[in-house]
Amino acid sequence: MTWSEMQPLLSQACWDTLYMVGWSTLIAVVAGLPLGVLLVLTDRGGLLQNVVANKVIGQVVNIVRSMPFIILMVALMTFTRWIVGTTIGREAAIVPLAVGAIPFFARLVETSVREVDGGLVEAVQSMGGNTWTVVRKVLVPESLPSLISATTTTIVAIIGYSAMAGTVGAGGLGDLAIRYGYQRFETEMMWIIVALLAVAIAVIQFAGDSGARVLHRRAGKGGEPLRFRALGGFLPGGPAAANKTATPAKTASEAAPETAPVKTR
């Protein structure tokens, strides 16, 4: 197969993969973020402690995560047909891709949120902040660099899932690799697809790592710490007052003015 014959096939396959991965990532983030936060809030010692609900949600997440994606696609065929009206094509692939990615991303969110300093949560609560305020001003902003890394990991996993979805006619690079690279023994096509996937994953990983690094630098080192911004919403002077409050006061000896030395004859 010549390059002029492969080019339109590769262009369409790249667009299909981008379409599936983009929509699946959006659904996974929108649904997985509150699910991961809820796992933290309902755990023992959480702001919405409910051990039964936490165990039920955790078991559902674990069951879906433990299921191989190829089996998940087959198990969800009836549900997929009910949602989009078909089980073939890129629209149909979005359903199992999103269902498989939501619990994966939720666990990553749970891990990121658990790393937030509990003392900051208690400080916001002592100032009158409710659960929604703690989530909006503390848990999510403080864990944002880790959430960016979690999103990057999820996108890379969805790209791998989308390649497997090609085995059931979902379209994209995986479908092209199966139909031409494997069934028709087009070795060149197979290696081009492998190279495209490798480059795409490398670019996404680099962008995600860079974004997380920039946010971490701004939050902790290069700018005003996020903890001061969170506390600033409850103080009259705003973030500056929070920063001033967090600065330790000088001792009496440090605050006392220096006296001029007494001259002696």
Side-chain angles (χ1 to χ4, degrees):
M1 180 179 289
T2 62
W3 173 249
S4 59
E5 295 173 333
M6 289 189 292
Q7 187 175 5
L9 296 174
L10 290 170
S11 299
Q12 184 61 41
C14 288
W15 168 248
D16 290 343
T17 298
L18 180 63
Y19 182 86
M20 292 186 293
V21 172
W23 278 106
S24 302
T25 301
L26 178 62
I27 297 172
V29 171
V30 170
L33 179 60
L35 184 60
V37 174
L38 188 62
L39 285 170
V40 177
L41 295 179
T42 57
D43 200 3
R44 295 183 185 276
L47 300 179
L48 301 175
Q49 179 174 326
N50 190 325
V51 179
V52 176
N54 183 269
K55 293 297 182 182
V56 171
I57 297 173
Q59 287 301 320
V60 172
V61 169
N62 291 337
I63 290 173
V64 178
R65 283 187 61 202
S66 64
M67 192 175 299
F69 181 71
I70 190 69
I71 298 177
L72 182 65
M73 284 194 302
V74 176
L76 291 176
M77 278 187 174
T78 303
F79 179 71
T80 302
R81 187 181 291 107
W82 180 68
I83 293 293
V84 298
T86 181
T87 58
I88 299 176
R90 62 185 189 180
E91 285 78 13
I94 292 175
V95 176
L97 285 173
V99 171
I102 288 173
F104 180 83
F105 182 70
R107 282 301 186 189
L108 295 178
V109 171
E110 180 188 8
T111 303
S112 300
V113 173
R114 287 189 187 280
E115 296 176 355
V116 176
D117 185 9
L120 185 57
V121 175
E122 295 176 358
V124 173
Q125 283 184 300
S126 66
M127 295 178 185
N130 55 20
T131 301
W132 169 244
T133 303
V134 171
V135 172
R136 184 169 57 90
K137 288 185 172 289
V138 179
L139 296 182
V140 174
E142 283 284 320
S143 60
L144 193 56
S146 297
L147 292 178
I148 296 296
S149 299
T151 304
T152 303
T153 304
T154 303
I155 294 174
V156 173
I158 292 176
I159 291 176
Y161 292 163
S162 68
M164 285 188 284
T167 59
V168 293
L173 293 172
D175 177 62
L176 201 63
I178 293 296
R179 288 192 293 114
Y180 287 88
Y182 177 72
Q183 295 177 351
R184 301 187 184 183
F185 301 101
E186 295 286 349
T187 308
E188 295 83 0
M189 176 72 81
M190 176 69 76
W191 284 113
I192 290 175
I193 292 173
V194 170
L196 287 174
L197 290 173
V199 170
I201 290 174
V203 170
I204 292 171
Q205 191 68 54
F206 175 78
D209 292 344
S210 300
R213 195 178 301 113
V214 169
L215 286 175
H216 182 73
R217 189 183 306 117
R218 288 181 179 178
K221 298 178 181 179
E224 185 183 62
L226 286 174
R227 64 185 69 250
F228 297 153
R229 299 181 201 172
L231 295 176
F234 300 91
L235 295 176
N243 198 345
K244 184 178 180 180
T245 303
T247 304
K250 292 183 177 180
T251 61
S253 60
E254 292 174 341
E258 295 182 0
T259 57
V262 179
K263 295 182 178 180
T264 56
R265 293 182 179 180

